[in-house]
Amino acid sequence: MTTKGQNSKQQRQPEKAQRLAIIRGLQSGILRNAMTLFSRAWKFLQAKRKIRSGPKRLRLTETISLGERRFVAVVQVDKCRFLIGGSATNVTLLTELDAVESSRRIRKQSASPYPLAVEKGGAA
């Protein structure tokens, strides 16, 4: 025969198992929702980073230290290159290198074998 204490103990076991199943179901649901939320937040941050980073337009091509916290550097922006100089207190644009190189190319191409020759019909 079963006593009253054994009966209540047997009834508690199924209730306890049901409660544990409910708790485990809630835990897995909460965990699943947390993982989904984390995944969506991660994707959002990655997309935002890609938008911000984009293609880099500015590059430090070369630099030379001149001592006493002074330097000369070549900076490239898109397809243009600039020679800059700097010290502890300022930075100065020295020249646009592409403009210098293109003017040298033009001078070489149009250079006359007689640099001091005057064109015909011109004033002497």
Side-chain angles (χ1 to χ4, degrees), residues 23 44 89:
I23 290 172
F44 172 76
T89 56

Side-chain angles (χ1 to χ4, degrees), residues 13-28:
Q13 286 178 351
E15 289 175 8
K16 190 175 183 181
Q18 287 176 346
R19 286 181 190 158
L20 284 174
I22 290 171
I23 290 172
R24 286 184 182 141
L26 288 173
Q27 286 176 340
S28 67

Side-chain angles (χ1 to χ4, degrees), residues 69-85:
R69 295 167 47 183
R70 292 178 292 167
F71 68 93
V72 175
V74 177
V75 176
Q76 183 171 347
V77 180
D78 293 331
K79 293 183 179 182
C80 299
R81 294 182 317 145
F82 301 95
L83 182 65
I84 61 169

Side-chain angles (χ1 to χ4, degrees), residues 3-118:
T3 63
K4 189 176 182 181
Q6 288 177 345
N7 249 350
S8 64
K9 192 174 185 182
Q10 289 173 351
Q11 287 176 350
R12 286 186 210 151
Q13 286 178 351
E15 289 175 8
K16 190 175 183 181
Q18 287 176 346
R19 286 181 190 158
L20 284 174
I22 290 171
I23 290 172
R24 286 184 182 141
L26 288 173
Q27 286 176 340
S28 67
I30 290 170
L31 182 61
R32 192 175 327 118
N33 288 341
M35 291 301 289
T36 302
L37 181 63
F38 177 76
S39 173
R40 287 182 181 168
W42 183 258
K43 288 178 184 175
F44 172 76
L45 291 174
Q46 291 295 78
K48 193 173 181 181
R49 184 178 296 156
K50 285 181 185 176
I51 290 170
R52 254 193 273 156
S53 65
K56 294 184 179 179
R57 298 176 52 206
L58 181 68
R59 280 188 352 177
L60 181 63
T61 308
E62 291 184 49
T63 183
I64 296 174
S65 175
L66 303 176
E68 297 294 320
R69 295 167 47 183
R70 292 178 292 167
F71 68 93
V72 175
V74 177
V75 176
Q76 183 171 347
V77 180
D78 293 331
K79 293 183 179 182
C80 299
R81 294 182 317 145
F82 301 95
L83 182 65
I84 61 169
S87 68
T89 56
N90 67 4
V91 176
T92 304
L93 173 65
L94 300 174
T95 187
E96 183 177 350
L97 293 176
D98 296 332
V100 171
E101 289 174 8
S102 63
S103 66
R104 282 184 188 157
R105 266 186 254 123
I106 291 171
R107 274 188 259 142
K108 283 182 182 178
Q109 289 172 355
S110 65
S112 167
Y114 307 104
L116 299 176
V118 178

